[in-house]
Amino acid sequence: MAAAREKGKAVKRAESKYPFVLGSIVRIFMKNFLTYTVCEVRPGPNLNVVVGANGTGKSSIVCAICLGLAGKPAFLGRADKIGLFVKQGCMKGVVEIELFKSPDNIVITREIYVMNNASVWFINGKPTTLKTVEEKIAALNIQVDNLCQFLPQDKVGEFTKLSKTELLEATEKSIGSPEMYQFHCELKNFREKERELENLCREKTTSLEKMKQRVERYKQDVERYHECKRHVDLIEMLERKRPWVEYENVREQHEEVKQCRNQAKKELKNLKEMQAPWTRRIQEAEENLNNLDMQTRDITAEIRNISQKCKEKQDALEMKDKQIEEINQAFRMKKDEETNRQKKIYQTQKIIEEWQNELDTMAVGENLQPQIDAVNTELKNLQEEKANIDNDISDLRAEKTNQEREGKRIIDRLGQLNNIMHMKEENLKMRFRDTHSALMWLRNNKDKFKKKTCEPMMLEINMKDSRHAKYIENHISSNDMRAFVFECQEDMETFLVEVRDRQKLRVNAVCAPAESCAENLPSRPIEELHRYGFYSYLRELFDAPPPVMSYLCYQYHVHNVPVGTQKTRDMIERVIQETNLRHMYTAEEKYIIKVSSYTKQNLSSNICLKEAQYLTSSVDTEERGQLENQRQDISNTLKSLDARLTALFDRQKLLDHKDNKLRQEKKELLERGNRRRQLESKIGVKYDSLRQLEQDAIDLEKEFQLANVKIKEINKQKSELVTELTHLMKRIIPLNVVKVNLAFQMTRVTAEKNRLQSEYKEGTVQLRALQRRFHELDNRKQLLYEKCMELMKQARQVCRLGPDQGFPEEFKVAFQTLPNTLEEIDAFLNEEKTRASCFTGISASVVEEYNKQTQEIQQLTEYLEEKKNELNNYKQNISQVKEKWLNLLKVMIEQINGKFSKFFSSMQCVGEVDLHMENEEEYEKYGIRIRVKFHSSTELHELTPYHHSGGEKTVSTMLYLMALQELNRCPFRVVDEINQVRINSMVLLFLCTDAYDIVERTDFFFSFQGMDPMNERRVFEMVVETACKKRTSQYFLITPKLLQNLTYNDKMTVLFVYNGPFMLETYKWNIKQFKRRQRHLSSMTES
């Protein structure tokens, strides 16, 4: 069969005559996949040797097997997106794998779409899901993620780095029974849980001991607390009894005072009975005196009534006198009014005469209009000048407003740029805190450096377009992105000594080249690359200070790395062949081109670009500088505008003053023109007023007669009032005589009363003394009663008794054992308080803590017992699982060791495989140790890169994998070819057990680069012998070359992968025609 790309073929040399085992690969079909346009490979059931030069597409077949069997792209190590495996320029690729299964084979098809990196799966032509495909693959025990089973070209480096532990796990998965790896995982989990339980039990036991010690210390404090509590309770009981004793004492005093008060009351009653006759006589005198007083009051009231009437008559007479005076006053006012009228007439006539004289002297027809016109003209000119000044002021104000608005816009924009810079600093602080701390120190200590220092590149680099940030970040390493840049080595050493050695900060610093590279020219103008889709070099996408740009040009050649578009990616093969570029960028990928050291062909690798993290927010330094200059220009312009506005305001004030002066002059001229008319009008008004005054004349004689008639009428009324007043005076005189007599009688009775009271007073001294004593005792009794009630209330409150609650029996019993006097109680109370005060620093929280700790100890003891039981269960489980696992493991390692030793013996070398353990209980550290000896003069050494050469490691690895071959239970193992420059070994293995032992499929790939011819021949013969046994499984051997005169077998299948400009097209490739031609040539040769 043929396998071909656009200019390549893969040919199978021999048809298969031997049956396939279950799961073997029958057919591999690729369309638009990596280097192939259309290719179909049909391998044989045994050993398949794939031969072809480097770069022809051998590893593409491995990629097709991995991806076609539900493998992840990342496992291959080529790309992380499935769409990148589609041939360039195509939107869809197809991989189809046909696996042997009786009676019908399984055909798994995967369609790969570049758009959205999507895949569509089919099984036997029917759509299905990825999960179903994985289940089908798992049923055949295919593990493409196991490096012991599938080791692609770009993952061989990882296989050689497998530790002993990882090698054991990979071997268990590959050839061990399913329960072996499960037992190993269970042991690790059980051991981890056992370790956690042991640590937990150890911690809890320690905590329990500490808690018991703490409780023991608390026990003494609790005893002291209870002793203190007894003293406090006794003090409380004494304090409760004390108010009751105090109440009882006051109550006894109250009873004594009450008896004394009753005795004083009795004596007072007897004394009052002895004073009764004197009291009656005094009362009779008081009654007589009261009667006289009543009579005097009646006479006084009548006299007051008559006096009131006399006063009213006198007031009426005074009123009449006032009426007469008012009439006289009205006549005088009429008289004065007439006199004033005469004076006004005289004054008016005089004013008329003066105005008439002024009017006669005033010139007739004086013309003031020329002067008024001159003033108007000057006012008009003045108004025009003021209007011009107002316009200038308005213009200047508008310009000032515009400048201020523009200044505010510039300040806002500068604030935005500063905010962007602040965001970049916060991003630096969040991601690299040490670098940010060093930045703060640098800003405060720039005076310590001789030349200019630059902050971390991620702050100094400003993208012209944030969309291009991903190119710069993918090109410059993360360490350099946060590195400080210095112009001289001495400054950098000063900085690093401070921040690294003294402050212990993890920072990076670089030194720019002594000769600036910032202006280096690219190898060719960008215009020459436009036809390939390139539009700029990296250097033109960002701005940076000269030291930073110089370092980037020197270290990363940013001046010579072009950036292209999707067009560049579509024609990438042509770009690589024609431009000789070593680094380039397309829209979403980075390409690196190297030249093979032995084929001189271009080897390219591409990486998907990561999203930008640091440079998405950029500050345009050129714009920032322009804004600062504009802000300074606006400030100067505003100062100039303010000066011009001040000058205009001063000129405006001067014009306003001149305007007011002209308007006053105009007003005076207008008044001079209207004066004659005003005088004529005023004289006419005065004549009217004079005629009115002459008409308002008063007749004084008539007014005098009317006044006399009114006065006579009032005098007649006065005479009547005088007669009534005389009659009232005659009535009041007898009443005053009676009042005087009554006063004499009251004086005589009062004297008699005073005499009796004087005699009575001598007998009442004893009575008053007795009354005073009675009142004192009564007051004292009342005070003692109130005090008793207060003390009763306090005593009940101290004992916490309700108003209607009886005295508790327990208090009575307790009070009987206590002292009964206040002195004894106070002495006992002071003694107990003194004892209680000795117990300092003890509170109820000690008892609470003691009880709490005791409860926690009990809970912790139960919890610890439960965990110990659980730990014993885990130990039992570990013991059971360990025995099962070790039995299986030892058998497997013995089998591997037997095969491995046999292979080494056939090569006249020594090799052993054993089980390695550092600690019998550390199951996660169990591993497989490989020990080899290639020379008779040396001892067995563990296989390491330090003691063995690359060829020895390659041979050992291949023989170990071959030792797994006959024991293998995995479907296949893959170890693909490795670049000889990087790692001097390459192996691609697909191993399978014998069909009679475990019916599973394994593919076996070998490459012999890095081995000497003798070892290469030995290994090849061993592979042929192993792979070509009866009923063995499928093998693949991949190599770019083979030695001459090797041993071959009829069961082998050879697949040639060709590539070159003279290859036939796919549709022209005809195996039958080639065979007929071969037979024809053979017959011609024989004849």
Side-chain angles (χ1 to χ4, degrees):
M1 293 301 296
R5 52 180 298 190
E6 290 178 335
K7 294 184 179 180
K9 299 286 182 177
V11 182
K12 186 177 81 170
R13 291 184 53 188
E15 295 292 335
S16 174
K17 300 180 181 179
Y18 305 96
F20 290 89
V21 297
L22 179 65
S24 297
I25 297 177
V26 177
R27 179 174 59 88
I28 305 168
F29 175 76
M30 296 167 284
K31 180 178 180 181
N32 296 329
F33 183 80
L34 289 176
T35 58
Y36 294 110
T37 301
V38 176
C39 177
E40 185 176 84
V41 179
R42 292 186 176 271
N46 299 105
L47 176 62
N48 294 274
V49 180
V50 182
V51 183
N54 289 336
T56 55
K58 300 187 301 297
S59 295
S60 298
I61 300 174
V62 178
C63 294
I65 294 172
C66 177
L67 298 179
L69 296 176
K72 300 296 187 295
F75 181 71
L76 294 170
R78 288 197 170 197
D80 56 351
K81 295 180 180 179
I82 189 66
L84 298 177
F85 288 89
V86 177
K87 185 176 182 179
Q88 292 183 1
C90 300
M91 300 304 294
K92 172 186 172 183
V94 179
V95 174
E96 188 172 276
I97 306 293
E98 184 176 351
L99 303 177
F100 178 79
K101 185 179 179 183
S102 179
D104 297 321
N105 291 347
I106 300 174
V107 179
I108 299 174
T109 306
R110 182 174 189 173
E111 295 182 355
I112 305 171
Y113 294 90
V114 176
M115 187 68 67
N116 299 328
N117 291 295
S119 295
V120 179
W121 294 89
F122 300 87
I123 295 181
N124 295 329
K126 296 180 181 180
T128 187
T129 62
L130 174 61
K131 183 177 181 181
T132 305
V133 174
E134 290 175 342
E135 291 174 353
K136 287 281 187 181
I137 302 262
L140 297 173
N141 203 21
I142 296 174
Q143 304 172 22
V144 293
D145 57 347
N146 186 344
L147 292 181
C148 273
Q149 180 178 352
F150 194 97
L151 191 60
Q153 177 178 346
D154 295 321
K155 289 287 184 175
V156 176
E158 294 185 16
F159 180 81
T160 59
K161 296 177 183 177
L162 287 178
S163 64
K164 293 186 284 292
T165 303
E166 294 170 337
L167 183 60
L168 173 60
E169 292 183 359
T171 303
E172 285 179 325
K173 294 178 184 178
S174 178
I175 69 170
S177 60
E179 59 271 13
M180 179 188 293
Y181 182 69
Q182 181 181 354
F183 288 157
H184 192 184
C185 293
E186 289 179 359
L187 279 175
K188 290 190 288 185
N189 294 334
F190 286 160
R191 176 54 186 161
E192 181 65 24
K193 191 63 178 179
E194 181 188 23
R195 192 182 293 111
E196 292 177 0
L197 288 173
E198 287 175 348
N199 294 335
L200 180 62
C201 291
R202 193 180 302 110
E203 293 174 0
K204 295 302 180 182
T205 303
T206 305
S207 300
L208 184 61
E209 291 300 324
K210 292 181 179 178
M211 290 173 68
K212 288 181 178 179
Q213 296 173 5
R214 195 180 305 118
V215 166
E216 192 63 30
R217 292 196 299 270
Y218 284 155
K219 188 175 181 180
Q220 299 177 0
D221 294 338
V222 170
E223 292 175 354
R224 293 184 64 211
Y225 171 78
H226 287 308
E227 185 177 354
C228 178
K229 186 71 166 54
R230 287 193 293 272
H231 290 294
V232 171
D233 292 342
L234 184 56
I235 290 170
E236 184 178 359
M237 193 58 67
L238 287 169
E239 289 177 345
R240 286 177 176 174
K241 183 174 181 180
R242 191 181 188 286
W244 287 104
V245 174
E246 190 175 359
Y247 161 74
E248 188 63 27
N249 293 339
V250 174
R251 190 187 65 79
E252 292 174 357
Q253 293 178 16
H254 174 265
E255 290 298 327
E256 293 176 1
V257 172
K258 182 179 180 181
Q259 293 177 4
C260 293
R261 173 213 179 244
N262 292 337
Q263 183 64 30
K265 183 178 181 181
K266 184 176 180 181
E267 293 176 358
L268 182 60
K269 181 179 180 182
N270 294 333
L271 188 58
K272 283 184 178 181
E273 289 177 353
M274 293 173 62
Q275 294 290 333
W278 295 98
T279 304
R280 285 194 299 270
R281 292 179 65 183
I282 292 172
Q283 289 177 353
E284 290 175 356
E286 288 179 351
E287 290 177 359
N288 192 12
L289 187 62
N290 290 335
N291 291 333
L292 292 174
D293 185 52
M294 291 296 292
Q295 293 176 14
T296 301
R297 288 179 182 174
D298 293 340
I299 295 299
T300 302
E302 189 174 357
I303 291 172
R304 189 182 296 113
N305 187 22
I306 296 173
S307 298
Q308 182 65 28
K309 291 181 180 179
C310 291
K311 187 176 182 304
E312 290 177 357
K313 299 300 180 183
Q314 289 176 352
D315 291 341
L317 288 173
E318 291 178 359
M319 182 61 67
K320 295 302 178 183
D321 291 337
K322 287 182 179 180
Q323 289 178 358
I324 292 172
E325 180 62 29
E326 288 176 356
I327 293 171
N328 292 330
Q329 181 67 25
F331 178 73
R332 286 194 297 271
M333 288 178 65
K334 293 286 184 180
K335 190 175 181 180
D336 293 340
E337 186 178 350
E338 179 62 20
T339 302
N340 289 334
R341 188 183 66 81
Q342 294 295 335
K343 287 180 180 180
K344 287 182 179 180
I345 289 173
Y346 173 74
Q347 291 175 355
T348 301
Q349 290 175 347
K350 188 176 180 180
I351 290 172
I352 290 172
E353 184 178 357
E354 289 176 356
W355 284 354
Q356 189 65 44
N357 292 335
E358 183 181 355
L359 187 62
D360 294 340
T361 59
M362 186 177 294
V364 180
E366 182 180 6
N367 189 8
L368 299 175
Q369 190 61 38
Q371 298 180 33
I372 294 172
D373 292 341
V375 172
N376 286 335
T377 301
E378 192 170 354
L379 280 172
K380 182 178 180 182
N381 295 333
L382 197 63
Q383 291 297 328
E384 291 178 355
E385 186 175 356
K386 286 177 66 177
N388 293 333
I389 291 175
D390 289 339
N391 291 334
D392 292 343
I393 291 174
S394 298
D395 294 341
L396 290 176
R397 282 177 173 171
E399 184 176 357
K400 182 179 179 181
T401 301
N402 293 334
Q403 292 292 332
E404 290 175 344
R405 187 183 298 113
E406 181 65 16
K408 184 177 183 302
R409 185 192 67 78
I410 291 172
I411 291 173
D412 292 342
R413 179 56 181 163
L414 285 172
Q416 293 175 0
L417 295 178
N418 291 332
N419 287 338
I420 294 174
M421 197 64 188
H422 179 71
M423 288 170 57
K424 294 176 70 175
E425 291 182 11
E426 287 298 319
N427 188 19
L428 175 68
K429 182 178 179 181
M430 180 177 64
R431 294 177 179 274
F432 312 108
R433 188 170 294 275
D434 286 0
T435 304
H436 184 269
S437 300
L439 173 64
M440 295 297 101
W441 181 87
L442 178 66
R443 290 181 176 177
N444 295 328
N445 296 275
K446 286 193 174 182
D447 55 334
K448 296 183 179 181
F449 302 98
K450 296 180 180 180
K451 293 186 178 181
K452 180 180 178 181
T453 60
C454 295
E455 297 179 356
M457 293 187 195
M458 62 183 293
L459 300 181
E460 297 286 5
I461 294 175
N462 288 298
M463 300 303 303
K464 296 179 181 179
D465 189 336
S466 60
R467 293 175 298 179
H468 298 149
K470 59 184 179 181
Y471 302 121
I472 305 302
E473 291 192 22
N474 279 273
H475 195 70
I476 302 173
S477 69
S478 176
N479 289 334
D480 278 355
M481 286 296 292
R482 57 190 176 97
F484 296 81
V485 182
F486 296 86
E487 287 190 318
C488 70
Q489 188 71 23
E490 184 179 352
D491 284 349
M492 185 175 73
E493 292 175 356
T494 302
F495 174 76
L496 292 178
V497 167
E498 174 63 31
V499 298
R500 279 188 181 175
D501 300 341
R502 297 178 184 172
Q503 299 185 23
K504 306 300 181 183
L505 300 178
R506 299 175 62 185
V507 298
N508 297 330
V510 298
C511 185
E515 184 178 350
S516 177
C517 301
E519 301 299 329
N520 285 1
L521 296 176
S523 58
R524 68 185 74 181
I526 191 64
E527 291 78 9
E528 294 183 7
L529 301 177
H530 282 172
R531 58 195 176 113
Y532 301 111
F534 293 108
Y535 58 88
S536 175
Y537 287 105
L538 286 179
R539 183 176 61 182
E540 278 66 44
L541 299 180
F542 66 95
D543 294 322
V548 177
M549 186 65 77
S550 177
Y551 174 79
L552 293 179
C553 289
Y554 174 78
Q555 184 69 25
Y556 292 96
H557 306 286
V558 294
H559 64 288
N560 211 26
V561 178
V563 180
T565 59
Q566 184 63 31
K567 176 182 177 182
T568 310
R569 187 187 184 282
D570 294 341
M571 54 189 306
I572 190 66
E573 293 186 2
R574 178 184 170 192
V575 172
I576 293 172
Q577 294 175 1
E578 297 180 2
T579 60
N580 293 325
L581 293 171
R582 293 293 171 256
H583 292 82
M584 69 184 77
Y585 287 87
T586 62
E588 297 295 335
E589 295 173 338
K590 174 183 178 180
Y591 283 84
I592 301 175
I593 297 91
K594 296 183 179 180
V595 180
S596 174
S597 59
Y598 58 93
T599 63
K600 304 304 179 181
Q601 293 181 350
N602 289 333
L603 303 177
S604 65
S605 63
N606 61 312
I607 303 173
C608 286
L609 298 181
K610 300 178 182 177
E611 293 297 327
Q613 298 179 353
Y614 312 118
L615 304 179
T616 53
S617 301
S618 299
V619 177
D620 191 338
T621 54
E622 182 178 354
E623 179 188 3
R624 189 173 183 179
Q626 292 176 355
L627 291 174
E628 291 289 352
N629 295 334
Q630 291 177 9
R631 184 171 65 172
Q632 186 62 36
D633 293 342
I634 289 174
S635 177
N636 296 334
T637 303
L638 288 175
K639 290 180 181 179
S640 174
L641 292 175
D642 289 337
R644 292 171 62 187
L645 283 171
T646 303
L648 290 174
F649 286 142
D650 294 341
R651 178 61 179 168
Q652 192 179 45
K653 290 180 181 178
L654 181 63
L655 293 177
D656 288 340
H657 178 70
K658 189 174 181 181
D659 180 84
N660 293 334
K661 186 175 179 181
L662 289 173
R663 290 182 184 279
Q664 184 63 29
E665 182 179 352
K666 180 180 178 181
K667 180 179 179 182
E668 293 175 357
L669 291 173
L670 292 173
E671 288 178 351
R672 284 175 59 188
N674 297 330
R675 182 62 176 169
R676 183 178 182 86
R677 292 189 296 274
Q678 290 176 355
L679 288 175
E680 291 175 352
S681 175
K682 288 180 179 180
I683 290 172
V685 172
K686 287 297 182 182
Y687 273 122
D688 294 339
S689 178
L690 183 60
R691 283 192 293 272
Q692 184 65 36
L693 289 171
E694 290 174 349
Q695 291 175 3
D696 294 339
I698 300 174
D699 189 354
L700 293 176
E701 185 64 26
K702 183 178 178 181
E703 293 293 334
F704 179 72
Q705 291 176 359
L706 291 173
N708 285 336
V709 171
K710 292 179 180 179
I711 290 172
K712 287 178 180 180
E713 181 65 28
I714 292 171
N715 285 334
K716 182 179 178 181
Q717 296 173 1
K718 284 178 66 178
S719 64
E720 293 175 355
L721 290 172
V722 170
T723 302
E724 294 176 359
L725 180 60
T726 302
H727 177 69
L728 290 172
M729 293 298 291
K730 289 178 180 180
R731 288 179 59 192
I732 200 172
I733 291 173
L735 292 174
N736 283 329
V737 173
V738 174
K739 180 178 180 182
V740 171
N741 291 333
L742 290 172
F744 287 151
Q745 293 178 18
M746 288 180 67
T747 302
R748 186 175 66 254
V749 172
T750 302
E752 180 66 19
K753 177 186 175 185
N754 291 335
R755 183 183 65 77
L756 291 171
Q757 287 179 343
S758 178
E759 294 174 357
Y760 176 76
K761 184 175 181 181
E762 294 175 1
T764 58
V765 172
Q766 185 179 0
L767 178 64
R768 290 194 188 95
L770 191 58
Q771 286 178 339
R772 186 165 52 253
R773 183 169 180 272
F774 171 76
H775 288 306
E776 288 175 356
L777 291 172
D778 188 58
N779 291 335
R780 188 179 177 193
K781 170 184 170 293
Q782 186 63 29
L783 290 173
L784 288 172
Y785 176 77
E786 292 175 356
K787 188 174 182 181
C788 280
M789 298 305 295
E790 183 65 25
L791 289 173
M792 169 70 79
K793 183 178 179 181
Q794 291 178 2
R796 296 184 75 85
Q797 286 178 351
V798 170
C799 294
R800 300 181 181 88
L801 299 177
D804 301 329
Q805 186 178 356
F807 196 73
E809 188 65 28
E810 59 182 72
F811 285 174
K812 292 179 181 180
V813 175
F815 286 175
Q816 289 177 358
T817 61
L818 300 176
N820 295 320
T821 63
L822 287 175
E823 292 77 8
E824 293 176 348
I825 289 175
D826 289 340
F828 197 10
L829 192 60
N830 290 331
E831 181 181 354
E832 291 300 318
K833 285 183 178 179
T834 302
R835 290 179 179 176
S837 64
C838 295
F839 298 93
T840 58
I842 300 177
S843 64
S845 61
V846 175
V847 180
E848 294 177 2
E849 185 65 24
Y850 176 79
N851 296 332
K852 180 181 177 182
Q853 290 288 339
T854 304
Q855 185 178 3
E856 288 180 357
I857 287 174
Q858 182 179 358
Q859 294 175 352
L860 185 57
T861 303
E862 295 174 355
Y863 178 77
L864 187 59
E865 188 64 27
E866 178 185 349
K867 291 301 176 182
K868 286 182 178 178
N869 294 334
E870 186 178 350
L871 178 60
N872 292 332
N873 293 335
Y874 270 105
K875 287 183 176 179
Q876 293 177 2
N877 292 336
I878 289 174
S879 177
Q880 296 172 0
V881 175
K882 178 181 178 181
E883 182 178 1
K884 296 177 183 178
W885 177 65
L886 282 179
N887 291 336
L888 295 174
L889 181 62
K890 289 178 180 179
V891 171
M892 180 187 74
I893 292 179
E894 287 176 0
Q895 293 175 347
I896 295 174
N897 183 48
K899 298 292 183 182
F900 187 75
S901 300
K902 178 181 177 182
F903 289 142
F904 260 82
S905 298
S906 65
M907 297 176 62
Q908 288 79 44
C909 299
V910 180
E912 291 182 0
V913 175
D914 60 5
L915 180 63
H916 174 77
M917 66 183 79
E918 297 178 1
N919 185 343
E920 186 177 356
E921 302 299 328
E922 300 294 334
Y923 304 108
E924 68 276 5
K925 295 183 180 179
Y926 275 61
I928 289 180
R929 180 174 60 179
I930 300 175
R931 296 194 300 166
V932 295
K933 182 175 75 170
F934 286 91
H935 306 286
S936 59
S937 59
T938 61
E939 299 293 332
L940 278 172
H941 286 287
E942 183 177 346
L943 182 65
T944 63
Y946 309 107
H947 291 87
H948 301 92
S949 65
E952 291 173 341
K953 288 187 295 178
T954 302
V955 171
S956 301
T957 302
M958 292 170 60
L959 294 181
Y960 177 79
L961 293 175
M962 289 179 61
L964 301 183
Q965 167 209 338
E966 296 182 2
L967 307 174
N968 181 36
R969 58 172 295 277
C970 298
F972 52 82
R973 284 184 177 83
V974 176
V975 181
D976 195 4
E977 181 179 4
I978 301 176
N979 191 310
Q980 189 175 9
V981 176
R982 293 184 179 180
I983 302 177
N984 197 21
S985 67
M986 61 171 54
V987 183
L988 175 57
L989 293 167
F990 275 84
L991 293 178
C992 172
T993 59
D994 194 290
Y996 292 109
D997 297 330
I998 301 177
V999 187
E1000 292 174 344
R1001 190 271 303 146
T1002 300
D1003 303 336
F1004 188 8
F1005 291 74
F1006 273 146
S1007 174
F1008 300 104
Q1009 287 183 237
M1011 284 189 285
D1012 58 84
M1014 182 177 64
N1015 284 332
E1016 182 177 342
R1017 187 177 298 276
R1018 288 178 180 177
V1019 171
F1020 182 82
E1021 291 174 354
M1022 199 176 301
V1023 169
V1024 172
E1025 180 184 357
T1026 304
C1028 295
K1029 291 180 179 179
K1030 184 179 181 181
R1031 301 295 296 173
T1032 57
S1033 51
Q1034 195 174 32
Y1035 295 82
F1036 285 84
L1037 186 151
I1038 296 179
T1039 181
K1041 61 183 179 61
L1042 287 174
L1043 297 176
Q1044 296 180 356
N1045 300 321
L1046 291 174
T1047 301
Y1048 296 97
N1049 191 289
D1050 292 339
K1051 295 182 179 181
M1052 293 175 54
T1053 301
V1054 181
L1055 300 174
F1056 293 98
V1057 181
Y1058 293 104
N1059 186 13
F1062 303 107
M1063 289 300 300
L1064 290 175
E1065 298 295 338
T1066 304
Y1067 64 89
K1068 296 180 180 180
W1069 192 269
N1070 192 320
I1071 293 292
K1072 293 181 179 180
Q1073 183 178 354
F1074 293 161
K1075 288 184 176 181
R1076 284 197 300 270
R1077 185 178 179 186
Q1078 182 183 17
R1079 286 194 295 269
H1080 177 68
L1081 292 175
S1082 298
S1083 62
M1084 289 178 63
T1085 303
E1086 292 174 358
S1087 61

